[in-house]
């Protein structure tokens, strides 16, 4: 009976903790500080990638806020984000702050990251307007990164192929094919536009599958 009572107490305690986190829209996770220390607890999901800070509660339900320049990464539920300096991503006119969070979609020999945000624009191209009549759009930028390399910026240009961002220019898929030139089959598929808009993740997993067999 004593063991049963202990088990019931532990179950109720964790249910209580889970109930609090769900009530406040927090999910189980952890943050990794820029110094390397890990804090376990609950993280509030990001509404937008361009949020400058995240909300974190430790196991004692004490709330803290962390900006991107204070962390190296964090996990919220099943999603992982890393903090990077925008200079590592190359040209990006929509990023205002120095450090941002990008979501890790694929981890491996080549990793895939996503930076997504909403902005508003009028017919003259003015951005970030508060006028409700202006069109609100979502921008999704994908970044490949090999373990020993820099971030390689690619975004979905149309339903047939990916375009590459470099030095303020959107290049064709020849440059993207060149990024994966050590994997001949993958490079050819990119070159001949075999990957559709929704298959950027497949491109990364195909490369990692090939890499694991080398």
């Amino acid at each position: 009976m004593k063991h049963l009572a202990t088990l019931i107490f532990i179950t109720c305690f964790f249910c209580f903790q889970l109930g609090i986190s769900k009530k406040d829209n927090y999910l189980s996770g952890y943050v990794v500080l820029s110094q390397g220390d890990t804090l376990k607890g609950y993280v509030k999901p990001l509404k937008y990638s361009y949020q400058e800070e995240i909300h974190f509660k430790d196991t004692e339900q004490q709330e803290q806020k962390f900006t991107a320049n204070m962390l190296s990464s964090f996990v919220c539920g099943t999603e992982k984000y890393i903090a990077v300096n925008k200079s590592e991503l190359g040209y990006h006119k929509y990023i205002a702050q120095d450090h941002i969070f990008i979501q890790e979609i694929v981890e491996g020999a080549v990793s895939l990251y996503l930076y997504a945000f909403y902005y508003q624009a009028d017919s003259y191209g003015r951005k970030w307007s508060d006028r409700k009549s202006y069109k609100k759009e979502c921008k999704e930028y994908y970044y490949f990164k090999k373990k020993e390399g820099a971030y390689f910026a690619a975004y979905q240009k149309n339903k047939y192929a990916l375009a590459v961002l470099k030095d303020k220019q959107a290049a064709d898929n020849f440059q993207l094919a060149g990024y994966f030139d050590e994997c001949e089959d993958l490079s050819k598929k990119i070159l001949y536009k075999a990957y559709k808009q929704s298959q950027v993740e497949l491109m990364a997993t195909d490369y990692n599958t090939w890499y694991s067999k080398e």
Side-chain angles (χ1 to χ4, degrees):
M1 289 295 294
K2 183 178 180 180
H3 292 294
L4 180 61
T6 302
L7 180 61
I8 292 174
F9 172 78
I10 293 174
T11 302
C12 291
F13 174 79
F14 280 108
C15 287
F16 173 74
Q17 294 284 4
L18 182 60
I20 290 177
S21 63
K22 284 186 175 180
K23 182 179 179 181
D24 295 338
N25 296 320
Y26 281 73
L27 298 177
S28 179
Y30 60 87
V31 299
V32 180
L33 304 180
S34 55
Q35 300 91 334
D37 297 328
T38 300
L39 304 178
K40 295 182 179 180
Y42 307 96
V43 180
K44 193 171 186 178
L46 293 180
K47 288 185 178 181
Y48 309 104
S49 293
Y50 60 80
Q51 279 184 217
E52 296 184 7
E53 62 184 17
I54 64 166
H55 296 260
F56 171 80
K57 287 185 178 181
D58 60 23
T59 53
E60 302 296 326
Q61 295 296 319
Q62 297 296 314
E63 185 175 355
Q64 302 178 61
K65 295 179 181 179
F66 294 101
T67 58
N69 63 347
M70 299 168 64
L71 301 178
S72 62
S73 65
F74 74 89
V75 169
C76 178
T78 59
E79 296 182 348
K80 180 179 179 181
Y81 293 80
I82 66 169
V84 298
N85 189 300
K86 69 176 183 181
S87 63
E88 296 184 60
L89 303 182
Y91 172 77
H92 203 312
K93 64 181 178 180
Y94 299 113
I95 301 178
Q97 60 269 32
D98 289 334
H99 291 78
I100 62 170
F101 298 114
I102 56 177
Q103 184 180 355
E104 185 178 82
I105 306 299
V106 176
E107 181 182 11
V110 65
S111 296
L112 176 68
Y113 300 94
L114 170 65
Y115 178 69
F117 65 94
Y118 289 92
Y119 76 99
Q120 289 179 317
D122 63 11
S123 58
Y124 298 99
R126 294 184 294 232
K127 312 299 181 184
W128 300 104
S129 172
D130 293 328
R131 289 182 58 179
K132 296 181 180 179
S133 60
Y134 289 172
K135 185 178 180 181
K136 189 175 184 180
E137 297 182 7
C138 178
K139 290 287 186 180
E140 294 184 341
Y141 289 86
Y142 290 93
Y143 295 87
F144 292 106
K145 187 178 187 301
K146 296 175 183 177
K147 289 185 177 180
E148 303 300 327
Y151 288 95
F152 185 86
Y155 73 99
Q156 297 177 357
K157 185 177 178 65
N158 55 52
K159 66 180 180 179
Y160 296 111
L162 296 171
V164 175
L165 291 176
K166 184 179 181 182
D167 300 328
K168 305 184 181 182
Q169 299 294 326
D172 57 30
N173 56 349
F174 283 93
Q175 190 172 357
L176 185 56
Y179 181 72
F180 293 108
D181 62 356
E182 67 270 30
C183 179
E184 185 176 355
D185 289 342
L186 175 61
S187 183
K188 286 182 178 179
K189 288 176 69 176
I190 296 171
L191 192 60
Y192 293 106
K193 302 180 180 181
Y195 290 97
K196 296 183 179 180
Q197 181 179 13
S198 60
Q199 295 180 308
V200 60
E201 184 175 343
L202 179 61
M203 190 184 303
T205 55
D206 282 351
Y207 178 87
N208 290 332
T209 300
W210 167 83
Y211 188 89
S212 66
K213 296 177 181 179
E214 288 298 299

